[in-house]
Amino acid sequence: MRETMMMLIGVALLSGCASQTMNAATSQPTNPPKPAFTYVIVHGAWGGGWAFKEVDHLLTADGNTVYRPTLTGQGERVHLSTPDIDLNTHITDIVNVILFENLHNIVLVGHSYGGMVITGVADRVPDRIAHLVYVDAFLPENGESANTMRRPGATTKQFHPETNGYLIPEWLKPNTPLPHDVPMPAKTFSQPISLSNPAALKIPTTYILTVDPGKQPEDDTFYYSYERAKSRGYRTLIMEGDHNVQWSHPKELVHLLEEAPLHD
């Protein structure tokens, strides 16, 4: 009797396991959850962290953690603006965010002028960074500035005329509703970057060149940086869109930002 009961229990357990296997096999496949990362996004010149609000929203909705600090004198910190603010000021801004928030294994993203900043940050705290992402951005070498970074043979004149220590582009108009771009201290573009840490060059890096529809990549302002990234063996991508894809193509940009650290 005991042996018969044990046999029945065994059959029942096996039947249950078989049933579970069949249910698992016949159920609809589910997508595995996306890995979550910590992103620190550095905006471009004249802008602010506000420019990446939608990108922040989309990344956060996918379970990521996002920091989008505003550089000194820009965005909501425009009241702190002085002509003495330089590239080192902005590099220190982001280094301090990383240190004071005690961030590790971050994906550090730089857009446009933000590429100058994240390059300097990587030189100072490479151990905190898991992946670098340049979005249509400067990729400088030691001793270069935003003003001098041009493809060979191109002019080295400033992007925009200097007025009282500030760079004021033509699109800055008075009485524009907030949020809006603000004047950029000229020293941020003229100060050469100082790089000395070889560990920074070992950080996995993705470079995203954004190219306007109908244009050739070679015609893009940042093509020179894209080619430099390629020569260093970095992962390089070309994305169709204007310079500010964080506004025009936020979903597509977020997709590339989320997959970038998966290619370390």
Side-chain angles (χ1 to χ4, degrees), residues 109-125:
V109 182
H111 174 239
S112 194
Y113 163 78
M116 299 292 299
V117 179
I118 69 170
T119 302
V121 174
D123 190 75
R124 294 192 193 179
V125 288

Side-chain angles (χ1 to χ4, degrees), residues 75 145 197 264:
S145 70
N197 193 341
D264 289 355

Side-chain angles (χ1 to χ4, degrees), residues 34-201:
K34 293 181 180 179
F37 298 97
T38 297
Y39 291 84
V40 177
I41 303 175
V42 182
H43 62 84
W46 304 286
W50 59 269
F52 284 84
K53 187 174 182 178
E54 178 63 15
V55 169
D56 181 346
H57 172 75
L58 294 171
L59 286 171
T60 302
D62 284 341
N64 300 291
T65 301
V66 180
Y67 294 82
R68 46 185 175 94
T70 292
L71 301 171
T72 300
Q74 300 292 283
E76 73 277 11
R77 304 181 70 200
V78 66
H79 60 290
L80 301 175
S81 186
T82 74
D84 292 327
I85 293 170
D86 56 19
L87 176 59
N88 279 337
T89 306
H90 288 166
I91 293 171
T92 303
D93 282 338
I94 305 305
V95 169
N96 280 346
V97 169
I98 293 170
L99 296 180
F100 277 80
E101 293 287 349
N102 197 23
L103 304 179
H104 296 266
N105 298 316
I106 66 171
V107 180
L108 183 60
V109 182
H111 174 239
S112 194
Y113 163 78
M116 299 292 299
V117 179
I118 69 170
T119 302
V121 174
D123 190 75
R124 294 192 193 179
V125 288
D127 57 308
R128 300 296 186 101
I129 303 166
H131 201 100
L132 288 166
V133 182
Y134 291 79
V135 181
D136 219 34
F138 291 111
L139 176 57
E141 292 184 345
N142 183 50
E144 292 181 326
S145 70
N147 280 340
T148 61
M149 272 206 69
R150 298 289 190 278
R151 69 187 71 187
T155 177
T156 59
K157 70 178 181 180
Q158 293 182 161
F159 283 101
H160 302 281
E162 181 178 334
T163 303
N164 298 323
Y166 288 92
L167 301 177
I168 305 177
E170 65 278 359
W171 67 79
L172 277 188
K173 306 295 183 183
N175 303 317
T176 304
L178 293 171
H180 58 65
D181 287 352
V182 299
M184 189 77 175
K187 287 184 178 180
T188 60
F189 271 50
S190 62
Q191 183 181 42
I193 195 167
S194 179
L195 305 173
S196 59
N197 193 341
L201 295 174

